[in-house]
């Protein structure tokens, strides 16, 4: 995003700066932040955009509390299209795929073909022997799944559980 206004405690950023930030609010200086575990910030109370009174971050304008601690400049070499992926979507997709412990011969289903789901699909396509299933009901998203090499399942019209059960020999 672009900084359009700054508060009195913000010194590192100026109006017009291109910036990004993670899904959680962090001070950048407490013990947990110094360990790189900013989602467990002791000062912000583990605040997350979109929860407990803090508006979501996928909006035209976003209030960024503790901006000095977790806002990051986007390098000039990174265009806006790529920069959008740096805050929430790509890190979330990477974390989920890694946390799942996916093995090369696994049968995998991704629920949702929004930005994060499509990024997970692309990561999984490189890690799996067979394409992952992707469940959604939005036609243009399902078309995108197919174009990226996934197996689209329209949950509005197809029996997703049966399709996946068949692909896994009933294991689901």
């Amino acid at each position: 995003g672009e900084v359009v206004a700054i508060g009195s405690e913000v010194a590192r950023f100026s109006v017009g700066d291109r910036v990004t930030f993670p899904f959680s609010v962090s001070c950048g200086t407490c013990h947990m932040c110094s360990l790189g575990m900013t989602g467990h910030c002791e000062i912000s109370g583990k605040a997350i955009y979109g929860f407990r009174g803090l508006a979501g971050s996928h909006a035209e304008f976003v209030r960024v509390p503790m901006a000095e601690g977790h806002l990051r400049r986007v390098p000039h070499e990174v265009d806006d299209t790529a920069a959008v992926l740096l805050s929430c979507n790509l890190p979330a997709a990477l974390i989920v795929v890694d946390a799942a412990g996916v093995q090369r011969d696994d049968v995998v289903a991704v629920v949702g073909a929004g930005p994060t789901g499509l990024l997970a699909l692309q990561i999984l396509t490189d890690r799996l022997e067979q394409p992952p299933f992707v469940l959604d009901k939005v036609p243009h998203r399902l078309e995108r799944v197919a174009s990226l090499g996934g197996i689209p399942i329209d949950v509005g019209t197809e029996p997703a559980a049966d399709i996946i059960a068949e692909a896994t020999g009933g294991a689901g």
Side-chain angles (χ1 to χ4, degrees), residues 75-128:
H76 296 291
E77 302 81 35
V78 177
D79 67 21
D80 289 343
T81 303
V84 168
L85 302 175
L86 298 176
S87 65
C88 180
N89 299 317
L90 183 57
L94 285 165
I95 288 167
V96 168
V97 170
D98 287 343
V102 174
Q103 301 298 310
R104 188 131 184 88
D105 61 346
D106 285 346
V107 175
V108 176
V110 175
V111 179
T116 304
L118 292 175
L119 288 164
L121 163 63
Q122 291 175 298
I123 295 164
L124 288 164
T125 299
D126 290 339
R127 296 186 183 185
L128 296 171

Side-chain angles (χ1 to χ4, degrees), residues 32-90:
M32 296 305 279
C33 286
S34 69
L35 294 174
M37 299 175 68
T38 57
H40 298 281
C41 178
E42 299 162 332
I43 305 302
S44 74
K46 302 178 187 175
I48 297 174
Y49 290 96
F51 292 95
R52 289 186 247 163
L54 185 59
S57 63
H58 293 205
E60 187 173 356
F61 295 97
V62 179
R63 180 179 62 90
V64 182
M66 299 185 186
E68 292 287 303
H70 75 281
L71 204 60
R72 299 288 180 262
R73 271 189 187 69
V74 173
H76 296 291
E77 302 81 35
V78 177
D79 67 21
D80 289 343
T81 303
V84 168
L85 302 175
L86 298 176
S87 65
C88 180
N89 299 317
L90 183 57

